[in-house]
């Protein structure tokens, strides 16, 4: 089970360090058999080996070792921190930062060539959900993506549920995760979109669900610890 916190553009270097200290103390006291990950802002990255119970990851990178890509960070920068897991395809990068499927596929191939663990995010906007062509839309987001990569996890994050405080209905999540599972087989499938302490247990109990990617509800370290505790108690 993967429980991942996406900090987005929140938490400074100092508050990230405080957060990770608190999380590490919690995990020292209550060891979790989950794969716990945190994706801080680029300027708040810290040495990954400082926190043995938490995998520190990058929300973004440019698919190059280094070079003339103003404002971006490359593999060299992630390597300096020992970062070995990345998010790719998050809807905020697809929509706000205008990342195309072609560019996302390049990032994916680059991450794969570096052997990084990838959480690959997919999700439909509300109008697609209303039109009924959800799976068609989601499969198109796999264009150029090698689904045979052994370090791949996929996060289904309906755009209309992200940051809204209103998660998708449990039946909607189950239908999409089951359809993904039928094709993606053993690839861990996460759900993201307004996950919180009230709905996590039910979501993780779905047979095709292998974890959660959490934004808002993970911004507070104590709350993230509660989510981890809930995940620990879900029996599959
Ligand atoms: C996310 O952006 O990955 C996310 C799931 O955010 P939230 O939990 O705030 O909906």
């Amino acid at each position: 089970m993967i429980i991942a916190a996406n900090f987005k553009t929140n938490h400074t270097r100092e508050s990230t360090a405080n957060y990770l200290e608190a999380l590490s103390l919690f995990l020292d006291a209550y060891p979790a058999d989950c794969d716990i990950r945190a994706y801080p802002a680029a300027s708040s990255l810290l040495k990954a080996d400082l926190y043995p119970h938490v995998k520190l990851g990058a929300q973004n990178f440019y698919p190059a070792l280094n070079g003339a890509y103003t404002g971006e960070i490359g593999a060299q920068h992630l390597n300096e921190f020992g970062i070995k897991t990345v998010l790719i395809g998050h809807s905020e990068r697809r929509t706000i930062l205008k990342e195309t499927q072609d560019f996302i596929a390049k990032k994916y191939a680059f991450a794969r060539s570096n052997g990084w663990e990838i959480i690959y995010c997919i999700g439909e906007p509300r109008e697609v959900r209303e039109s009924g062509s959800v799976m068609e839309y989601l499969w198109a987001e796999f264009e150029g993506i090698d689904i045979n990569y052994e370090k791949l996890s996929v996060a289904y994050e309906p755009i209309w549920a992200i940051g809204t405080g209103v998660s998708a209905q449990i039946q909607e999540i189950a239908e999409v995760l089951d359809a993904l599972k039928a094709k993606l087989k053993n690839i861990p499938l996460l759900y993201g979109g307004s996950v919180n302490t009230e709905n996590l247990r039910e979501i993780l109990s779905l047979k095709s669900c292998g974890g959660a990617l959490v934004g808002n509800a993970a911004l507070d370290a104590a709350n993230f610890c509660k989510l981890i505790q809930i995940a620990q108690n879900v029996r599959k």
Side-chain angles (χ1 to χ4, degrees):
M1 184 103 68
I2 297 171
I3 305 295
N6 176 10
F7 291 2
K8 311 191 186 190
T9 314
N10 298 294
H11 280 303
T12 61
R13 173 170 292 268
E14 188 181 359
S15 67
T16 297
N18 292 339
Y19 182 111
L20 293 169
E21 281 303 322
L23 179 57
S24 295
L25 283 176
F26 170 80
L27 293 170
D28 277 340
Y30 305 97
D33 57 9
C34 297
D35 179 344
I36 310 294
R37 305 187 191 183
Y39 296 82
S43 65
S44 304
L45 287 177
L46 295 155
K47 289 270 189 190
D49 59 7
L50 285 173
Y51 307 100
H53 309 308
V54 184
K55 283 185 192 163
L56 275 194
Q59 297 171 23
N60 187 41
F61 58 93
Y62 193 84
L65 182 63
N66 53 31
Y69 308 104
T70 301
E72 296 291 304
I73 58 169
Q76 203 167 54
H77 306 89
L78 299 190
N79 292 341
E80 186 176 30
F81 291 98
I83 299 300
K84 291 191 169 40
T85 173
V86 294
L87 300 181
I88 298 179
H90 193 282
S91 63
E92 286 154 12
R93 296 211 60 87
R94 292 179 190 264
T95 57
I96 304 170
L97 282 304
K98 308 286 182 230
E99 286 191 5
T100 62
Q101 186 60 32
D102 188 47
F103 182 62
I104 288 168
K106 283 196 177 73
K107 290 175 74 174
Y108 186 93
F110 183 79
R112 187 187 183 290
S113 71
N114 279 283
W116 295 336
E117 288 185 314
I118 299 170
I119 296 185
Y120 184 66
C121 305
I122 56 170
E124 81 287 357
R126 183 174 295 285
E127 60 274 17
V128 170
R129 165 66 51 185
E130 283 164 4
S131 77
S133 49
V134 174
M135 290 316 298
E136 210 170 46
Y137 186 93
L138 297 180
W139 291 128
E141 294 193 320
F142 283 97
E143 215 174 290
I145 301 301
D146 173 11
I147 58 168
N148 294 313
Y149 181 42
E150 66 283 0
K151 293 184 183 171
L152 166 64
S153 305
V154 169
Y156 169 55
E157 301 202 296
I159 297 174
W160 45 274
I162 293 182
T164 58
V166 182
S167 156
Q169 301 284 321
I170 197 74
Q171 192 53 34
E172 294 171 323
I173 302 171
E175 277 169 18
V176 170
L177 294 185
D178 287 350
L180 291 171
K181 187 95 194 151
K183 186 156 162 184
L184 301 178
K185 309 285 184 212
N186 293 328
I187 294 170
L189 300 177
L190 282 56
Y191 169 77
S194 297
V195 165
N196 57 40
T197 52
E198 299 299 306
N199 59 24
L200 182 64
R201 186 186 317 278
E202 192 179 23
I203 292 168
L204 292 181
S205 301
L206 292 172
K207 72 175 188 309
S208 299
C209 187
L213 177 56
V214 191
N216 278 331
L219 285 181
D220 175 68
N223 209 54
F224 190 49
C225 293
K226 280 188 198 152
L227 295 172
I228 293 167
Q229 259 176 333
I230 291 167
Q232 276 290 102
N233 291 321
V234 172
R235 294 274 160 262
K236 294 275 222 180

